[in-house]
Amino acid sequence: MISSLKGNIIHKFLDSGIIVIEVNGVGYGVYVRTSLFSKFKEGEGVFLFAHEYIRENSRELYGFLKTDELKLFEKLLSVSGVGPKLALNILSLGKIEDIKKSIDNDDVEFLTTLKGVGKKIAQKIILELKGKLIDGKSVGYDDEVVDALKNLGYSFSEAKTAIGKIPKNLKTTELRLRETLKHLAR
């Protein structure tokens, strides 16, 4: 898996938003956000964190200057119906913190300003990611407990609400899950 690239930009493909980075004689085509694409210049040295997206018939690289951009991109990919190009376009909406806040504040209008994001997909992104993106603001639930509850047939919002009612001093996933199930059974 390719996790980062360091090299020189040898070409930019304007029509696709791909920059080609030469690393030790090998050129890697990397999709980047629109705002980054315009800033990069051919011949310039660059370091990018990368996400390698592999499908049956293709391999694509997506590049990011910071790890928080990469993490948000990967969170967006976890939402069913959001592919890598749409996730990258969502990152082009503005600052990473503003995007996280809009999701956490149920701001459907902010997300739907982007072409390709309708009300339905914006609501789905908010439903699945709300409370998971802004550090210190979540209600204390963790991804493992939510995933376990979703596998048991509970919705994300039911799981989130129930986890918010359990004591915060429970440290293990097993204890948190057991206590959450007690609350859901009432």
Side-chain angles (χ1 to χ4, degrees):
M1 171 175 29
I2 298 172
S3 298
S4 67
L5 294 168
K6 182 178 180 182
N8 291 320
I9 298 171
I10 58 171
H11 193 68
K12 292 170 53 172
F13 291 99
L14 184 59
D15 58 330
S16 60
I18 293 176
I19 61 170
V20 179
I21 301 173
E22 183 178 327
V23 180
N24 296 325
V26 178
Y28 294 92
V30 183
Y31 289 94
V32 294
R33 293 184 332 193
T34 310
S35 59
L36 288 180
F37 186 86
S38 60
K39 289 180 184 177
F40 288 142
K41 296 182 180 15
E42 289 183 14
E44 180 177 68
V46 67
F47 175 85
L48 295 175
F49 294 100
H51 176 88
E52 187 174 17
Y53 187 76
I54 301 173
R55 294 184 293 191
E56 274 183 37
N57 55 358
S58 70
R59 281 174 88 167
E60 298 170 347
L61 286 173
Y62 293 84
F64 309 92
L65 287 176
K66 299 177 182 174
T67 56
D68 63 337
E69 296 170 350
L70 173 62
K71 288 177 186 176
L72 180 55
F73 176 82
E74 290 174 340
K75 287 280 189 184
L76 288 165
L77 284 181
S78 73
V79 177
S80 126
V82 176
K85 291 190 175 119
L86 181 56
L88 193 64
N89 284 340
I90 291 170
L91 292 182
S92 295
L93 282 172
K95 295 179 183 176
I96 298 302
E97 287 307 311
D98 292 341
I99 296 167
K100 289 179 179 181
K101 286 177 186 173
S102 74
I103 292 170
D104 213 47
N105 293 329
D106 295 321
D107 192 352
V108 173
E109 288 77 29
F110 180 80
L111 293 172
T112 56
T113 58
L114 182 66
K115 184 180 179 184
V117 178
K119 189 173 183 178
K120 190 174 182 179
I121 194 71
Q123 289 171 331
K124 193 172 194 176
I125 290 169
I126 289 168
L127 178 68
E128 293 190 28
L129 297 181
K130 184 177 179 176
K132 289 185 171 183
L133 302 176
I134 298 180
D135 297 332
K137 191 174 179 187
S138 69
V139 292
Y141 62 89
D142 58 354
D143 292 340
E144 291 176 359
V145 175
V146 170
D147 289 342
L149 292 170
K150 283 172 71 176
N151 288 337
L152 292 171
Y154 293 100
S155 72
F156 176 78
S157 58
E158 288 173 319
K160 182 174 128 177
T161 302
I163 292 170
K165 295 178 181 177
I166 66 172
K168 304 230 183 284
N169 63 344
L170 300 175
K171 299 293 182 199
T172 69
T173 301
E174 184 180 322
L175 289 173
R176 293 176 64 74
L177 179 59
R178 187 178 302 139
E179 193 65 28
T180 304
L181 285 169
K182 287 179 188 174
H183 279 279
L184 286 168
R186 292 181 189 160

